[in-house]
Amino acid sequence: MTQPFTGEIRIFPYNFAPRGWADCNGQLLPIAQNTALFSLFGTTYGGDGRTTMGVPSLQGRAAMKEGRGPGLTPRRLGEKDGDTTVTLSTSNMAQHTHAVVADNAVTNLSRTPDNHYPANPGGRSSNLYGTTTAATPFKNLANTGGGQAHPNEQPYLVMRYCVALVGVYPPRS
């Protein structure tokens, strides 16, 4: 493996951070022992800027580029965004209805439900289905739900993000 740039972030499949690397878990590090890294990160990821500095936290997060794009919200370096759960409300959903339709005619009845609607049997046996295409809505279903949040995470594979504490100081272009 080549010498990393100081502050470079890589993904490792190990259950430990290699020598010279630190987990990207938002931990605070002493500036006195990480002056090169502090000159690159400053307090972007936390710390008081006098004795401590923070490393990025990529726990349960996806890395993304700072900046803006057409139709996108501007993002700052080090900004945390997103939610792991979201509660849906009717204002989050497109306007729609759930109507139960039935065939109100008493003719053209069938005993099989395939491609038919429930029918008004006109006093005859139930389990009859209408074959007409003139089915009419007779009941709109009410809103349901308990307002509970649902998971809102993209699929993931657990890996270890680490930041290089030492390495080649990256040249500015």
Side-chain angles (χ1 to χ4, degrees), residues 77-124:
L77 191 63
E79 177 182 7
K80 294 179 183 177
D81 192 36
D83 295 305
T84 56
T85 60
V86 173
T87 302
L88 290 179
S89 66
T90 53
S91 63
N92 297 113
M93 294 183 272
Q95 185 176 359
H96 68 285
T97 59
H98 295 270
V100 177
V101 293
D103 189 339
N104 210 21
V106 292
T107 58
N108 299 324
L109 297 175
S110 168
R111 294 209 176 271
T112 62
D114 297 334
N115 299 317
H116 301 111
Y117 296 104
N120 175 3
R124 291 185 253 164

